[in-house]
Amino acid sequence: MINVGIAGYGYWGPNLARAVGEAGNARLVMVADRDENACARAAQRHPTVRTTRDIGAMIDDPAVDAVMIATPVSTHFPLALAALRAGKHVLVEKPMADRPDHAATLVDEAARRKLVLMVDHTFVYTGAVQKIAEIVETGQLGDIYYYDSTRVNLGLFQRDVNVIWDLAVHDFAIMDRIFVSQPVAISAGAAGFLDGSPENMAHLSVYYDDGAMAHLNVNWLAPVKIRQTLIGGSRLMVIYDDMQTSEKVKIYDRGAANGADPYERMVSYRLGEMRAPVISTKEALVTEMQEFMRCIETGTRPITDGESGLRVVELLAAGARSCAMRGRPVELALPKVA
Amino acid sequence: MINVGIAGYGYWGPNLARAVGEAGNARLVMVADRDENACARAAQRHPTVRTTRDIGAMIDDPAVDAVMIATPVSTHFPLALAALRAGKHVLVEKPMADRPDHAATLVDEAARRKLVLMVDHTFVYTGAVQKIAEIVETGQLGDIYYYDSTRVNLGLFQRDVNVIWDLAVHDFAIMDRIFVSQPVAISAGAAGFLDGSPENMAHLSVYYDDGAMAHLNVNWLAPVKIRQTLIGGSRLMVIYDDMQTSEKVKIYDRGAANGADPYERMVSYRLGEMRAPVISTKEALVTEMQEFMRCIETGTRPITDGESGLRVVELLAAGARSCAMRGRPVELALPKVA
Amino acid sequence: MINVGIAGYGYWGPNLARAVGEAGNARLVMVADRDENACARAAQRHPTVRTTRDIGAMIDDPAVDAVMIATPVSTHFPLALAALRAGKHVLVEKPMADRPDHAATLVDEAARRKLVLMVDHTFVYTGAVQKIAEIVETGQLGDIYYYDSTRVNLGLFQRDVNVIWDLAVHDFAIMDRIFVSQPVAISAGAAGFLDGSPENMAHLSVYYDDGAMAHLNVNWLAPVKIRQTLIGGSRLMVIYDDMQTSEKVKIYDRGAANGADPYERMVSYRLGEMRAPVISTKEALVTEMQEFMRCIETGTRPITDGESGLRVVELLAAGARSCAMRGRPVELALPKVA
Amino acid sequence: MINVGIAGYGYWGPNLARAVGEAGNARLVMVADRDENACARAAQRHPTVRTTRDIGAMIDDPAVDAVMIATPVSTHFPLALAALRAGKHVLVEKPMADRPDHAATLVDEAARRKLVLMVDHTFVYTGAVQKIAEIVETGQLGDIYYYDSTRVNLGLFQRDVNVIWDLAVHDFAIMDRIFVSQPVAISAGAAGFLDGSPENMAHLSVYYDDGAMAHLNVNWLAPVKIRQTLIGGSRLMVIYDDMQTSEKVKIYDRGAANGADPYERMVSYRLGEMRAPVISTKEALVTEMQEFMRCIETGTRPITDGESGLRVVELLAAGARSCAMRGRPVELALPKVA
């Protein structure tokens, strides 16, 4: 049984607290939040759990094996670092940190201490993304040609972070999960239409080393909510529509036809059947918790490990730099081969 | 009654020929195409019309008042120039020319000779775009914040022109119609996944002088056909979905709320009613023909005049240059104030 | 402050218990359920509330002002009757009773004792149905021509009640709310495809005294979930789609055209704009609770009063009789004019 | 080469004329229509074809091998009978006749003379219905439990025929194609809301000898166009949506689960994958023409033969009788076993 402490009991912390209880082999023992009211809410809902306003004390408490961090982004780095230094396994909210160097420091610290460092990229644990990853990994999709995502809605304007750090982070995490090839450059543009608010609309293009391309359309000021991703492969194509209650993933046996005659004016194409596979409806957050506990117990690496969190932060930071230059591409360093 | 000659009777020419007959005050008198079979088809469908394989002869024929050019893009410039020099009014297929300087030369020639020069930007004459333009011009939409278009499908791969010149041209023409502000820069990226084919996927971001942003997502390799544009304004928002058989234009009384408190973490927003106005179902091409004839008769300028065609070609050429630099922005010269 | 006791804490009782707390001027004081585990669950979630396995004792308890009955259908009648005789106001789950004479007895008893008798026809209190009722009552819709509902899905097979008593009850309640004219006959057919299960598919046609017609398509064995109602009026037409997350109600300015020429082969028609009004998103059950408390305090009648519950039970029973005769129509007695 | 004469060149005749030319082994030689203008239109479009205002003369003309009848319904019987008596093969518009006895007389006449008698139930020859029939015939669907169709729209009000004869005929033809079991009774209701017009809305329930049920919802006064059919089988379920441009047929591996425990309150169910097979996009009318010609050449029976047309007319007539009695069921005579 793994004893868990949660830092931050605002919007997301209560979800983590509930999911810890449903994971099976973990137990919530402490909740820390600087806000007295947050502590009171935690105490009411989890009467057997200790609460404290001193996050540092919780991190150092010997009764805590693993720390989950659901505080504002700017505090992820110092709190996660302190927890690792205290010998605790760490699950940190996305984005993992506000700067790539901070994220890299966390990765190094966890590696040196052989602790589990995991990022809460929840989408990666949904039945839909798991199914897409399976189609890619088994070779059914063929080479990924492109990933094209629209993630827009109305009404989640935030003041302390722009739309890229809020919404694009989801796609970067999914892309990190399913792409085999490496991103080499990013070009992005953004606009903000409300005084005193950060950018609320952005378009980001990511170039991969094998010629593939990804694009993200994120917007807080759209008339309707759209969560739709097209994925083009050399063998199949996929539409992932998260707004559908059923049939979230549709797989099309479509594409350009093999053996297209170069002398024809038009390339011919293939229009085969579509199928919507059965998707697991298990709650993603519970799957993720179980993955975290399994990694702690077996000493293995989670799917959304610290390196994954670091790569996502590098894309976010590079995307923000490109936006400031109206799309001028920012090159991404390829990972060194081990 | 205006006598019309058509150059090029391949894919689009027959549509022009039919629409001339439905315009009311025009008459098709000649069709010219280098291909014998095309001439034969024209003769069969329009028994009273003369056909010739010599386009130049048709352009010079005194029986012809106006020439419509539906030949390959690379021939638009020489044919349109010859027609203007022969004193003929000209309607030219989109894109108007393959280079901005060619387009500019045509504009100058038409102005000097006081001839009508019009570009066949058909979408501008659809009931849907006319309705959107009306909402903008009457101030109902408020300031345009963004134009965000997805124009993807499977199976129209072409060998002689890439997806930007084939599909983005439609959006550039619509944007030219509805935006009041001026585009100042473009950043674009493209990819091609089939050997021996031009780029089949592109993303283009256009920046305007008042902070507005437009984005185009064009793709020949998508599993389904999507023709959807979101337009965000300061007062209303619009979804234009050309795949719907009814309710192509939906107008949302939604947006960020006025008087948002800067001390609140979230900007509040407004969720009012949606309405789908009645859209004219008159065929766009017939509307366009009538506009062409009206301009010839009254000496006025068409909505999609040569200047408009030139601006669209400038965007296409600048977008292509940016693609070659992976999104590095290309600045657009603002028009001189008269 | 009105003190409430709830009889039955199975599937629906917990929702009533929560909603009582959110109504504002009511307080849950007792929960009675014959099942010990149900009592334990209630005690855990509502620590200050008394629980008992003796429903009769709760009904007679002087601390209870109003009783809500969420037990199996066959027990609605004896429990509601006992509660009324004990001088308590009563809210009873739908359907109000299993036989029309039972329902009528309850109506009489409540009237004699001047107690509030209300049926939990929750749909009537949704923002969508309230908006539709408003459109009808203000005359915007004109005369109701028809009400045509499809309410199908997979997987809610029940063993003790057939699909009519389970699903058609919702539409009968909505129809009772919005129709001005009176139903005079019902013709229905049903089928069951699983051994040992009651009918899982039914079609019911209701005829009104002014020529209007209603039809209900209810089915537990459909591949997808559909909740769609078309309402045709002489001035407007409505589509109510409860599966939409937004735009649940669409109002069409469409219909047959006035002044249609009787000598034309085709009647002409009118195709005006569609609009989706703003719908209240307040939880229907809370609205309903507030209506119940308001009626108790002011001595007025609830919208879904006992008479309404009786009329719905009469339709259900008549529909079941017609099914047994493969659609032979069953006449409905018109209410006596007061 | 089969020589074809067409009687009636109004709304549908021109489509038949075109399709004859595309069938491959047939040739249109005559067109007869009492209206001079119709003859003129036929002559213009088919310059080599003879036209006449004397339908009888065409029927008797020795140059004609087969007659296609696209005249008003009330004339189908006398014209088809005359053509059969003249020794001609006959394709007749749907419905085949206005009375069952008329239809039966035609069947007898064709049988005695060994001529092909075919009804133009075009939907049966669509790729979608062919695919559904294939799924049924190969046993993939299992037993058909129900067929539930919605066929509504605005604006096709007719004066000489009600909505049942206009729209329900399509579903009856499809049902005749795919059901193995026999219809034994029909219960129907209808309403008309416009003075001087026939019924514009109807609901029809058909009962089969194995317990299956079909239902048709037909309406000329609906705000939107819906063409959707749910088909429930013991192994699979199907949604056929003719308004979709792609994915018209979706096949769901869903249903009630085998081995459901009779002691459970709820029957369990199965939620497997959905697939949308490739549907032939060949024009149904051309497929139908080729079937007609093939039957003439080989002396075989068409899928939509006279018996099929007769069965459809019997359902139409019985449905109309039930409507007049507000749903009282009308029994259908089972065909005698050969």
Side-chain angles (χ1 to χ4, degrees):
Chain A
M1 188 62 66
I2 296 158
N3 293 318
V4 172
I6 290 179
Y9 199 81
Y11 167 65
W12 193 244
N15 291 327
L16 294 175
R18 175 183 52 73
V20 165
E22 298 178 21
N25 51 350
R27 179 170 47 202
L28 182 64
V29 294
M30 285 190 81
V31 169
D33 195 299
R34 287 175 194 160
D35 177 34
E36 199 164 359
N37 294 325
C39 288
R41 283 196 304 275
Q44 187 181 20
R45 211 170 308 172
H46 301 280
T48 64
V49 165
R50 282 187 290 150
T51 61
T52 173
R53 295 176 61 194
D54 183 345
I55 296 179
M58 184 195 77
I59 284 173
D60 291 330
D61 196 294
V64 170
D65 302 321
V67 173
M68 297 184 179
I69 298 170
T71 54
V73 175
S74 59
T75 65
H76 287 182
F77 172 64
L79 293 177
L81 190 63
L84 290 169
R85 286 181 175 164
K88 309 299 164 80
H89 303 288
V90 171
L91 176 77
V92 63
E93 240 345 270
K94 54 90 197 159
M96 180 180 168
D98 52 358
R99 289 167 32 183
D101 59 335
H102 284 169
T105 300
L106 294 178
V107 168
D108 290 345
E109 189 70 31
R112 184 164 48 239
R113 294 179 183 271
K114 300 195 191 306
L115 292 167
V116 174
L117 172 62
M118 181 164 169
V119 188
D120 181 17
H121 290 153
T122 318
F123 267 102
V124 169
Y125 298 94
T126 58
V129 173
Q130 288 178 319
K131 177 59 70 178
I132 294 168
E134 175 195 318
I135 296 163
V136 174
E137 285 170 359
T138 55
Q140 295 175 66
L141 187 93
D143 298 326
I144 300 180
Y145 284 159
Y146 65 83
Y147 174 100
D148 193 340
S149 178
T150 302
R151 193 175 290 274
V152 306
N153 52 255
L154 181 61
L156 294 170
F157 284 85
Q158 300 190 7
R159 294 207 182 272
D160 55 351
V161 63
N162 73 11
V163 72
I164 294 177
W165 290 80
D166 179 52
L167 292 183
V169 64
H170 297 303
D171 286 297
F172 284 158
I174 297 170
M175 286 154 56
D176 189 74
R177 173 74 184 87
I178 65 172
F179 268 91
V180 177
S181 53
Q182 300 294 328
V184 291
I186 186 167
S187 164
F193 307 117
L194 299 180
D195 292 339
S197 277
E199 293 86 349
N200 54 262
M201 173 184 180
H203 283 273
L204 306 98
S205 293
V206 180
Y207 299 91
Y208 283 79
D209 60 359
D210 63 350
M213 186 173 176
H215 185 269
L216 286 63
N217 174 354
V218 290
N219 193 343
W220 284 333
L221 193 68
V224 293
K225 186 171 185 177
I226 304 176
R227 293 283 183 270
Q228 183 172 279
T229 305
L230 308 189
I231 303 173
S234 56
R235 294 204 178 120
L236 296 174
M237 294 199 270
V238 169
I239 297 184
Y240 164 31
D241 186 342
D242 204 41
M243 296 303 293
Q244 299 292 318
T245 48
S246 63
E247 299 158 30
K248 281 181 192 290
V249 175
K250 292 181 180 172
I251 304 171
Y252 294 83
D253 178 23
R254 294 184 185 170
N258 293 327
D261 179 350
Y263 297 102
E264 291 284 326
R265 181 159 176 275
M266 299 290 198
V267 175
S268 65
Y269 52 95
R270 192 179 78 249
L271 275 178
E273 85 168 18
M274 178 268 274
R275 65 188 187 88
V278 179
I279 299 293
S280 166
T281 56
K282 182 173 171 184
E283 190 189 350
L285 199 53
V286 174
T287 303
E288 182 185 328
M289 287 294 157
Q290 292 170 339
E291 166 83 351
F292 183 51
M293 304 310 162
R294 188 186 64 78
C295 290
I296 292 174
E297 289 177 338
T298 61
T300 49
R301 278 198 169 187
I303 297 174
T304 55
D305 62 3
E307 276 82 353
S308 148
L310 165 60
R311 289 190 296 266
V312 167
V313 172
E314 282 173 337
L315 283 167
L316 291 168
R321 282 175 54 208
S322 181
C323 280
M325 301 183 291
R326 277 195 169 163
R328 182 184 289 251
V330 172
E331 302 214 352
L332 298 161
L334 281 173
K336 292 192 202 80
V337 177
Chain B
M1 189 60 67
I2 296 157
N3 293 318
V4 172
I6 290 179
Y9 198 80
Y11 167 65
W12 194 244
N15 291 327
L16 294 175
R18 175 183 51 74
V20 165
E22 298 177 22
N25 52 351
R27 180 171 46 202
L28 180 65
V29 295
M30 285 188 83
V31 169
D33 196 299
R34 285 173 196 164
D35 177 35
E36 200 164 357
N37 294 326
C39 287
R41 283 195 304 275
Q44 187 180 22
R45 211 172 306 176
H46 301 279
T48 65
V49 165
R50 281 187 290 150
T51 63
T52 173
R53 295 175 61 193
D54 183 344
I55 297 178
M58 184 195 76
I59 284 173
D60 291 330
D61 196 294
V64 169
D65 301 321
V67 173
M68 297 183 178
I69 298 169
T71 54
V73 175
S74 59
T75 65
H76 288 182
F77 172 64
L79 294 177
L81 190 63
L84 291 169
R85 286 181 176 165
K88 308 300 164 79
H89 303 287
V90 170
L91 175 78
V92 63
E93 241 345 271
K94 53 90 196 159
M96 180 180 168
D98 52 358
R99 288 167 34 183
D101 59 334
H102 285 168
T105 300
L106 295 179
V107 169
D108 290 345
E109 190 71 29
R112 184 166 50 241
R113 294 179 183 270
K114 300 194 189 310
L115 292 166
V116 174
L117 173 62
M118 182 164 168
V119 188
D120 181 15
H121 291 153
T122 319
F123 268 102
V124 169
Y125 298 94
T126 59
V129 173
Q130 287 178 320
K131 177 59 69 177
I132 293 168
E134 176 195 317
I135 295 163
V136 173
E137 285 171 359
T138 56
Q140 296 175 66
L141 187 93
D143 298 326
I144 299 179
Y145 283 160
Y146 66 83
Y147 175 100
D148 193 341
S149 178
T150 302
R151 194 176 289 275
V152 307
N153 52 256
L154 180 62
L156 294 170
F157 284 84
Q158 299 190 7
R159 295 209 181 271
D160 56 351
V161 63
N162 71 12
V163 72
I164 294 177
W165 290 80
D166 179 50
L167 292 182
V169 65
H170 297 303
D171 287 295
F172 285 157
I174 296 170
M175 287 154 56
D176 189 74
R177 174 72 183 88
I178 65 171
F179 269 91
V180 177
S181 53
Q182 299 295 327
V184 291
I186 186 167
S187 165
F193 307 117
L194 299 180
D195 293 339
S197 276
E199 292 87 347
N200 55 262
M201 173 185 180
H203 283 272
L204 307 98
S205 293
V206 180
Y207 299 90
Y208 283 80
D209 60 359
D210 63 349
M213 187 173 175
H215 185 269
L216 286 63
N217 174 352
V218 290
N219 193 343
W220 284 332
L221 193 68
V224 293
K225 187 171 184 177
I226 304 176
R227 292 283 184 272
Q228 183 172 279
T229 305
L230 308 189
I231 303 172
S234 55
R235 295 203 177 121
L236 296 173
M237 294 199 271
V238 170
I239 297 185
Y240 164 32
D241 186 342
D242 204 40
M243 296 303 292
Q244 298 292 318
T245 48
S246 64
E247 301 157 30
K248 281 181 193 288
V249 176
K250 293 182 179 171
I251 304 170
Y252 294 82
D253 178 22
R254 296 185 182 168
N258 293 327
D261 179 349
Y263 297 101
E264 292 283 328
R265 181 158 176 275
M266 299 289 199
V267 175
S268 65
Y269 52 95
R270 192 177 79 249
L271 276 178
E273 85 168 18
M274 179 269 274
R275 66 189 186 85
V278 179
I279 299 293
S280 166
T281 55
K282 184 174 169 184
E283 189 189 349
L285 199 54
V286 174
T287 302
E288 182 185 329
M289 288 293 156
Q290 292 171 339
E291 166 83 350
F292 183 51
M293 305 308 162
R294 188 187 63 78
C295 289
I296 292 174
E297 288 178 338
T298 61
T300 49
R301 277 196 170 186
I303 297 174
T304 55
D305 62 4
E307 275 82 353
S308 147
L310 166 59
R311 290 189 296 265
V312 167
V313 172
E314 283 173 337
L315 282 167
L316 291 167
R321 282 175 54 208
S322 181
C323 282
M325 301 182 292
R326 277 196 169 164
R328 182 183 290 254
V330 172
E331 302 213 352
L332 299 160
L334 280 173
K336 292 192 201 79
V337 178
Chain C
M1 189 62 66
I2 296 158
N3 293 320
V4 172
I6 291 179
Y9 199 81
Y11 167 65
W12 193 244
N15 291 327
L16 294 175
R18 175 183 52 73
V20 165
E22 299 178 21
N25 51 350
R27 179 171 46 202
L28 181 64
V29 294
M30 285 190 82
V31 168
D33 196 299
R34 285 175 195 163
D35 177 34
E36 197 164 358
N37 294 325
C39 287
R41 282 196 304 274
Q44 187 180 23
R45 212 171 307 174
H46 301 280
T48 65
V49 165
R50 280 188 290 150
T51 63
T52 173
R53 295 175 62 192
D54 183 345
I55 297 178
M58 184 194 76
I59 283 173
D60 290 330
D61 196 295
V64 169
D65 302 320
V67 173
M68 297 183 179
I69 298 170
T71 55
V73 175
S74 59
T75 65
H76 287 182
F77 172 64
L79 293 177
L81 190 62
L84 290 169
R85 287 181 175 165
K88 308 300 165 79
H89 304 287
V90 171
L91 175 78
V92 63
E93 241 344 270
K94 52 91 195 160
M96 179 179 169
D98 52 359
R99 288 167 34 184
D101 59 336
H102 284 170
T105 301
L106 295 178
V107 168
D108 290 346
E109 191 69 32
R112 185 164 48 241
R113 294 178 183 270
K114 300 195 190 310
L115 292 167
V116 173
L117 173 62
M118 181 164 168
V119 189
D120 181 16
H121 290 154
T122 319
F123 267 103
V124 170
Y125 298 94
T126 58
V129 174
Q130 287 178 320
K131 176 59 69 177
I132 293 168
E134 175 195 318
I135 295 163
V136 174
E137 285 171 359
T138 55
Q140 295 174 67
L141 187 93
D143 298 326
I144 299 179
Y145 283 159
Y146 66 83
Y147 174 100
D148 193 339
S149 178
T150 302
R151 193 175 290 274
V152 306
N153 52 257
L154 180 62
L156 296 169
F157 283 84
Q158 300 190 7
R159 294 208 183 271
D160 56 352
V161 65
N162 72 12
V163 72
I164 294 176
W165 290 81
D166 179 51
L167 292 183
V169 64
H170 296 304
D171 286 297
F172 285 158
I174 296 170
M175 287 154 55
D176 190 75
R177 173 73 183 88
I178 65 172
F179 268 91
V180 177
S181 53
Q182 299 294 328
V184 291
I186 185 167
S187 164
F193 308 116
L194 299 180
D195 292 340
S197 276
E199 293 87 347
N200 54 262
M201 173 183 179
H203 282 273
L204 307 98
S205 293
V206 180
Y207 299 90
Y208 283 80
D209 60 359
D210 63 349
M213 186 173 178
H215 185 269
L216 287 61
N217 174 352
V218 289
N219 194 343
W220 284 333
L221 193 68
V224 293
K225 187 171 186 177
I226 304 176
R227 294 283 183 270
Q228 184 173 278
T229 306
L230 308 189
I231 303 172
S234 56
R235 293 204 179 120
L236 295 175
M237 293 198 271
V238 169
I239 297 184
Y240 164 32
D241 185 343
D242 204 41
M243 296 304 292
Q244 298 292 319
T245 47
S246 64
E247 300 159 29
K248 280 181 193 289
V249 175
K250 291 182 180 172
I251 304 170
Y252 294 82
D253 178 23
R254 295 184 184 169
N258 293 327
D261 179 351
Y263 297 102
E264 292 282 329
R265 179 157 178 276
M266 299 291 200
V267 175
S268 64
Y269 51 96
R270 191 179 79 248
L271 276 177
E273 84 167 19
M274 178 269 273
R275 65 188 187 88
V278 179
I279 301 292
S280 166
T281 55
K282 182 173 169 183
E283 189 189 348
L285 199 53
V286 173
T287 303
E288 183 186 328
M289 288 294 155
Q290 292 170 340
E291 167 83 352
F292 184 50
M293 305 310 161
R294 189 186 63 77
C295 290
I296 292 174
E297 289 178 337
T298 61
T300 49
R301 278 198 169 186
I303 297 174
T304 56
D305 62 4
E307 277 82 353
S308 148
L310 166 59
R311 290 189 297 266
V312 167
V313 172
E314 283 174 336
L315 282 168
L316 291 168
R321 283 177 53 209
S322 181
C323 280
M325 302 183 291
R326 276 197 170 164
R328 183 182 288 252
V330 173
E331 302 214 353
L332 299 161
L334 279 174
K336 293 193 201 81
V337 178
Chain D
M1 190 61 67
I2 295 158
N3 293 318
V4 173
I6 290 178
Y9 199 81
Y11 167 65
W12 193 245
N15 292 327
L16 294 175
R18 175 183 51 75
V20 165
E22 298 178 20
N25 52 351
R27 178 171 47 203
L28 181 65
V29 295
M30 284 189 81
V31 169
D33 195 299
R34 285 171 197 166
D35 177 34
E36 198 164 358
N37 294 326
C39 288
R41 282 195 304 275
Q44 187 180 21
R45 211 170 307 174
H46 302 279
T48 66
V49 165
R50 280 187 292 150
T51 64
T52 172
R53 295 176 60 192
D54 183 346
I55 296 178
M58 184 195 76
I59 283 173
D60 291 329
D61 197 294
V64 170
D65 303 320
V67 173
M68 298 183 178
I69 298 170
T71 55
V73 175
S74 58
T75 65
H76 287 182
F77 172 65
L79 293 178
L81 190 63
L84 291 168
R85 287 181 175 165
K88 308 300 164 79
H89 304 286
V90 170
L91 175 78
V92 63
E93 242 343 272
K94 53 91 196 160
M96 179 179 168
D98 52 358
R99 288 166 34 183
D101 60 336
H102 285 169
T105 300
L106 295 179
V107 169
D108 290 344
E109 190 70 31
R112 184 164 49 240
R113 294 177 184 270
K114 300 195 189 310
L115 292 167
V116 174
L117 173 62
M118 181 164 169
V119 189
D120 181 16
H121 291 154
T122 319
F123 268 102
V124 169
Y125 299 94
T126 58
V129 174
Q130 288 178 319
K131 176 59 70 177
I132 293 168
E134 175 196 319
I135 295 163
V136 174
E137 286 171 359
T138 54
Q140 296 175 66
L141 188 93
D143 297 327
I144 299 180
Y145 283 160
Y146 66 82
Y147 175 100
D148 194 339
S149 177
T150 302
R151 194 175 290 274
V152 307
N153 52 256
L154 180 61
L156 295 170
F157 284 85
Q158 300 190 7
R159 295 207 182 272
D160 56 352
V161 64
N162 72 12
V163 73
I164 294 177
W165 290 81
D166 179 50
L167 292 183
V169 65
H170 297 303
D171 287 296
F172 285 158
I174 296 170
M175 287 154 56
D176 190 74
R177 173 74 184 85
I178 65 171
F179 268 91
V180 177
S181 53
Q182 299 294 328
V184 291
I186 185 167
S187 165
F193 308 117
L194 299 179
D195 293 339
S197 276
E199 294 87 347
N200 55 262
M201 173 183 180
H203 283 272
L204 307 99
S205 293
V206 180
Y207 299 90
Y208 283 80
D209 59 1
D210 63 349
M213 187 173 176
H215 185 269
L216 287 62
N217 174 353
V218 290
N219 194 344
W220 284 333
L221 193 68
V224 293
K225 187 171 185 177
I226 304 176
R227 292 283 183 273
Q228 185 173 279
T229 306
L230 308 189
I231 303 173
S234 57
R235 295 204 179 121
L236 295 175
M237 294 199 270
V238 169
I239 297 184
Y240 164 32
D241 185 343
D242 204 41
M243 296 303 292
Q244 298 292 320
T245 48
S246 63
E247 300 158 29
K248 281 181 193 289
V249 175
K250 292 181 181 173
I251 304 170
Y252 294 82
D253 177 22
R254 295 184 183 168
N258 293 326
D261 179 351
Y263 297 100
E264 293 283 328
R265 180 158 177 276
M266 300 290 198
V267 175
S268 65
Y269 52 95
R270 191 178 78 249
L271 276 178
E273 85 167 18
M274 178 269 274
R275 66 189 185 88
V278 178
I279 300 293
S280 165
T281 55
K282 183 174 169 183
E283 189 189 349
L285 199 53
V286 173
T287 303
E288 182 185 330
M289 288 294 155
Q290 292 170 339
E291 166 83 352
F292 184 52
M293 304 310 162
R294 188 186 62 78
C295 291
I296 292 173
E297 289 176 338
T298 61
T300 49
R301 277 195 170 189
I303 298 175
T304 56
D305 63 4
E307 276 81 353
S308 148
L310 166 59
R311 291 189 297 265
V312 167
V313 171
E314 284 174 336
L315 283 168
L316 291 168
R321 283 176 53 209
S322 181
C323 281
M325 301 182 291
R326 275 195 171 165
R328 182 184 290 254
V330 173
E331 302 213 354
L332 299 162
L334 280 174
K336 294 192 200 78
V337 178

